[in-house]
Structures are given as structure tokens and as C-alpha cells.
Amino acid sequence: MAAEPSPPPSTRPDSAEAGSAPDTRDAPSGARTPQQRGTGTAPRTRTRWRGPGAWPRGLRPDLAVVAAAGALVTAAVVIGGAIEREHGTLRVHWPPYYAHLEPHLGPGTPAALLVAGAVLGYGPALAARLRWRRLLPAVWLASMAWIWSLAMVDGWHRGVENQLTSAYEYLQEIDRFADAGAALRTFTDHILLHSPDNWVPHVAGHPPAAVLTFVGLDRVGLGGGPWASAWVITVGASAAAAVLVALRALTDEEHARRAAPFLVLAPTAVWVGVSADGYFTAVAAWALALLALAARSGTGAVRAPRAVAFAAGLLFGLTCYLSYGLTLCALLGLTVLALSRTLRPLPWVLAGVAVVAAGFTLAGFNWWEGYRLLTERYYEGAARIRPYSYWVWGNVACAVTAAGPAAVAGARRALVSAARTGRQAAVRLRARQPGGELAAAGPDSRARLAAVVAAAVLTIAVADLSGMSKAETERIWLPFLTWLLPAAALLPRRGARYWLAAQAATALAVNHLLLTGW
């Protein structure tokens, strides 16, 4: 059995679901690929339109999956509202979101519209033309502007100052860490609901690195809600730059640049500003970015890959001590190593993780004991009555809202591409062809991007099926959802601004129609 033949690269349209462009991530700027040499001009890759009313290849399935996502969200709202009114078991005010339905405008509304308009008008061109070293800080600053403007839609006090000072949040427990050593040694004694002086929900629900971050800010004179929110937004916005770094190392610069505007105008920004999960997202993203750099070989490889791998391990270790559930980032890390086809960084990464784990263990905190007690407390609280039968798909409705329609459509293409690549690899292995193990050049850049997105989908699926995330996944899954956003780079170039506008419209609609809890 042989793999299905595919059209030659020079005739395959840009909107094809599985890209076939040769890998040029390490080629010097302006260099032409072997397929382009001798032709005089580069092959046309723009989608060909076949007259009025014609559809570019693959657009119908894209729109269909977006429509299905919309139907899923509608069903989650309608059915969830009925369940909550009749039984009160979902424990959220406007299912499936942890939010109130409260249409409103705010001081951030004009700023949000201005940022969205600027990115729509100039973002794709700037992403294509700016020098790489300038693009990264530009994306970070643009993402920060988008997050701040959305947060300010709810006003300064409600949207920023008081977001991390509620009765559920980390700042409520700052005073109990006057003796940080004693607090760490007895941390697990206060996790269960019936334990004396039990921690507030967010402190009890996370390892101590989360609350220690805000304790540290307080110790250096940056205490209180405004500084905590500024920290979360500033650090959280850097996740967009981290994803770009990883994409360039794993795929190529072109796909990273195409993804840049979508990483800025992401609906996930609604929940990055401001929840501590935005901060967690950035730490996890930089861990994966450093791992991708450490695993890269050839032109563009870092000078000290072992040191970079060790730094990635330190951040992976910190990630695990910020949130128990973020251990699932290991699936994304393994994907990075698989795409790079090397295990060289792994010992150094594990060494970095071990340093962080040893530090917390020697300080008196037992991660495994904390996780066991958290699971017990989880089912002592709202999770005990929240029905799995609703949240196992209601969570997905939250996820597609936070990721946005462009990410949903791109993820469909990524899954199709990943499935096709897997089938072709299986055919080669069964036929025992020389390329059966892996072609010398490996999968092309679009296939590698598709693999990263597919790994993010798998990570979300594992988190969902585990039952340890019932509700609030629009913020809890931010570290995973961020890796769905680059899927938009798999969509056709023609029409990219429409998809980008859909992303911005989703974020603006959510922030102006709902008063979110984060």
C-alpha cells in the first residue's frame, strides 16, 4: 500500500491542509529553495479564486468547525442555564463561564478598539517586515496593551486593583508568610476544608510557589492589588514572545511571523488580565521556548545549549510548583524533543527540575502529599456536586471561546495534517522504505506546527477527561490554550485579516457582555 500522491509544490495552493513547502528555517534570508532555483520566480502560493461565490480550498470545513464550536457554546449556555436554575449544581452564575451576564462599557473600551484597529491595520505587515530582535519586544508590548485595555473595560477598581484581592485569592494569605520557612513546613496542614486555619481556595489549590511569588513582591515593596495585577499582566503578556521564539526554533521564521498578530489579539487576553494563571502561562511558555532553543541544531542554534536546557528545567520545575495541573506541559515538552529529533537537552532539563524540587522539599513542602490533599479538598467543595456529564463538554465550550474562531479553524487543519502525517509514516514503516524511520529533513514546517497544535489539543483532552477541571477552564487551561493560537498560521493568507478580526471581536464581545470573575 502506497501513500496517496500529492500535487507538486509549485501547484499546491497556500490553503492546502497539509503544507508541503520545503523546510527553510535555517536558510539565509532571501535564499531560494532547490524547488525554486532555475524557475526565475518563486512559485505562486496564493489561493486561487474561481470567480464570484467560489470558495478557497478548505474554507468550507473551517467555517463548519467554527459553526460547530458556536453551536457547542450555545448549547452549553442554554443547557447549563437550565441545569443551574433547576438544580444549582454547576456553581457558576452564567454557565459555562465563571461570570455574570452584564453588558457594559468602560474606560478601556476606546483603548481596546484602538489597539484592535492598529493590529488589524498594521500588525501583519509589521510582523512580516520587522527585524526579529525588534519583533519580539513589539509583540510583547502590543500584547500588554491589548490585555491592559481589556482589563480596563471593567474599570480600574473592579478590573485591575481588586481582581487579586478577593476572599479566594493569594493576597489574602500574605501575612501568614512572615515566617516563610514555617509556612512551607506546615503548608499541607491547612489544605483540607476541615483543617484548622485552612488556606483560601487558590492557595490551597496550588503548590506554594504561586503564593510565594506575591509574598516576594510584597517583601520588595510591591505589595497590594495594583502591583500584583501589573505583575501578572506584564509577565503574562510575554507568553506571546515566548511562543514566537519556540515556533521559530521548531518550524520556521515565516510561520512564526504569520502567527504573531494572532498571539497579540488573542481572546485569552481576557483572562490573562488579570488572573495568576496568566503568570503561570508565561512561565510554562518560556520553559518550552528555551527547550526548543536548546534542542535546535544547525544555523541559529544557541551557543550554550546545556545552560539553556538547564534554565528550561528550572522553569519547568517552577511551573510544577505553581500549579499541579501544569505537569501536563510535559506532553508539550516531549513534542518539542520529538520534533527536534534529539534527547540531548533532557538530562540538563531534568537536572533543572530536580534543583527546584529539591529546594521545595528541603524547605518542608511535599508535592505529592499536597496533590493528594488537594484532590481530597477538591471533592469536598464545589467539584463534589458539579456534574462531570456537563463539564466534560462544557469545559470545551469555555476553551473554544478563549482560543477564538481562528484557533479553532487552524486546529482543525492541524489535526488533519497530523493524522495524514501519521498515516503516511505508518505506510512507509509497513513498506519498510528507507524513509520509514524519518526522512533526513524530517517533516516540513507546516507539519511541525501542526504537531505542536495537536499536542496542545491532546493536553487539553487529558486535562478535561481527568475530571480535575470542572468549570473555570477559560483561565485554568490558559497555559495549554496559548499553544492553540499559532494554529491560525495554517489558515490561508488571503482572508487572514478576517480571521484576526474574528479573534478581536470574540475578546471584545466576551469582555463587554460578561463580567468575568478573573
Side-chain angles (χ1 to χ4, degrees):
M1 178 177 181
E4 294 182 3
S6 55
S10 60
T11 61
R12 186 177 293 186
D14 177 68
S15 60
E17 300 201 355
S20 60
D23 182 12
T24 60
R25 59 176 172 162
D26 291 328
S29 177
R32 291 188 297 170
T33 63
Q35 288 88 338
Q36 294 170 334
R37 297 190 188 108
T39 63
T41 58
R44 293 179 61 85
T45 57
R46 182 172 290 183
T47 303
R48 296 180 180 177
W49 293 78
R50 296 177 297 279
W55 297 77
R57 180 181 176 186
L59 184 57
R60 278 196 180 96
D62 292 338
L63 295 178
V65 75
V66 170
L72 176 68
V73 169
T74 302
V77 171
V78 173
I79 297 174
I83 294 173
E84 185 64 12
R85 284 192 300 271
E86 185 166 348
H87 304 289
T89 55
L90 300 185
R91 302 296 294 272
V92 290
H93 295 288
W94 207 71
Y97 311 104
Y98 190 82
H100 296 269
L101 179 62
E102 187 176 319
H104 62 286
L105 300 174
T109 299
L113 292 173
L114 182 63
V115 172
V119 176
L120 280 170
Y122 303 101
L126 287 174
R129 296 171 186 170
L130 279 178
R131 285 191 173 187
W132 182 256
R133 291 184 179 180
R134 294 182 180 179
L135 178 62
L136 293 178
V139 165
W140 186 354
L141 291 174
S143 179
M144 200 185 309
W146 179 236
I147 296 168
W148 270 109
S149 62
L150 290 175
M152 287 296 293
V153 169
D154 296 338
W156 172 257
H157 293 292
R158 188 166 61 178
V160 177
E161 184 178 26
N162 297 328
Q163 278 289 72
L164 293 172
T165 60
S166 75
Y168 301 100
E169 289 285 357
Y170 304 97
L171 270 62
Q172 293 294 323
E173 304 287 17
I174 296 294
D175 293 340
R176 294 176 63 178
F177 283 82
D179 184 346
L184 283 174
R185 288 190 295 272
T186 61
F187 191 89
T188 56
D189 296 339
H190 307 291
I191 292 179
L192 296 179
L193 278 175
H194 56 73
S195 61
D197 298 322
N198 61 82
W199 301 116
V200 298
H202 279 190
V203 176
H206 296 82
V211 67
L212 285 176
T213 298
F214 299 104
V215 171
L217 289 175
D218 185 73
R219 294 281 176 86
V220 299
L222 302 179
W227 283 114
S229 294
W231 167 267
V232 167
I233 292 175
T234 302
V235 177
S238 74
V243 174
L244 283 186
V245 170
L247 290 179
R248 185 174 184 247
L250 293 172
T251 63
D252 59 18
E253 190 168 316
E254 179 187 357
H255 282 91
R257 288 177 179 274
R258 289 182 62 184
F262 293 94
L263 290 167
V264 172
L265 287 190
T268 52
V270 173
W271 293 277
V272 174
V274 290
S275 69
D277 296 86
Y279 158 50
F280 305 164
T281 298
V283 175
W286 280 110
L288 290 164
L290 292 179
L291 177 61
L293 289 176
R296 184 174 181 174
S297 60
T299 304
V302 293
R303 293 183 179 179
R306 293 177 179 177
V308 173
F310 182 74
L314 292 175
L315 289 181
F316 271 120
L318 177 59
T319 299
C320 294
Y321 280 83
L322 288 171
S323 176
Y324 296 103
L326 294 188
T327 52
L328 290 177
C329 285
L331 293 175
L332 289 164
L334 291 174
T335 301
V336 169
L337 294 176
L339 291 174
S340 303
R341 296 185 296 155
T342 181
L343 293 177
R344 288 192 304 271
L346 189 56
W348 298 94
V349 171
L350 294 177
V353 173
V355 167
V356 176
F360 277 98
T361 302
L362 292 174
F365 173 72
N366 186 320
W367 192 95
W368 295 103
E369 179 71 4
Y371 178 71
R372 182 186 67 81
L373 292 171
L374 166 66
T375 304
E376 188 174 338
R377 171 162 175 162
Y378 184 65
Y379 287 102
E380 287 179 340
R384 178 175 54 87
I385 62 172
R386 281 175 171 166
Y388 180 86
S389 58
Y390 172 81
W391 286 111
V392 73
W393 60 274
N395 287 339
V396 179
C398 293
V400 299
T401 303
V408 169
R412 182 200 70 81
R413 288 175 175 256
L415 293 176
V416 170
S417 176
R420 179 179 293 125
T421 300
R423 287 197 301 269
Q424 291 173 348
V427 167
R428 289 197 299 269
L429 285 172
R430 284 198 297 268
R432 295 185 179 181
Q433 295 178 2
E437 296 178 2
L438 269 179
D444 63 40
S445 55
R446 283 179 67 93
R448 290 194 295 270
L449 175 55
V452 171
V453 175
V457 172
L458 175 62
T459 304
I460 291 168
V462 173
D464 188 33
L465 295 174
S466 72
M468 286 299 290
S469 297
K470 294 180 182 178
E472 305 176 45
T473 50
E474 58 267 40
R475 68 164 179 87
I476 295 172
W477 289 352
L478 282 175
F480 313 140
L481 294 172
T482 297
W483 294 94
L484 294 184
L485 301 175
L490 299 173
L491 297 170
R493 290 178 184 274
R494 189 168 186 173
R497 275 193 171 87
Y498 293 104
W499 288 111
L500 191 56
Q503 293 290 91
T506 300
L508 290 168
V510 168
N511 222 111
H512 286 85
L513 294 176
L514 301 179
L515 184 61
T516 64
W518 316 107

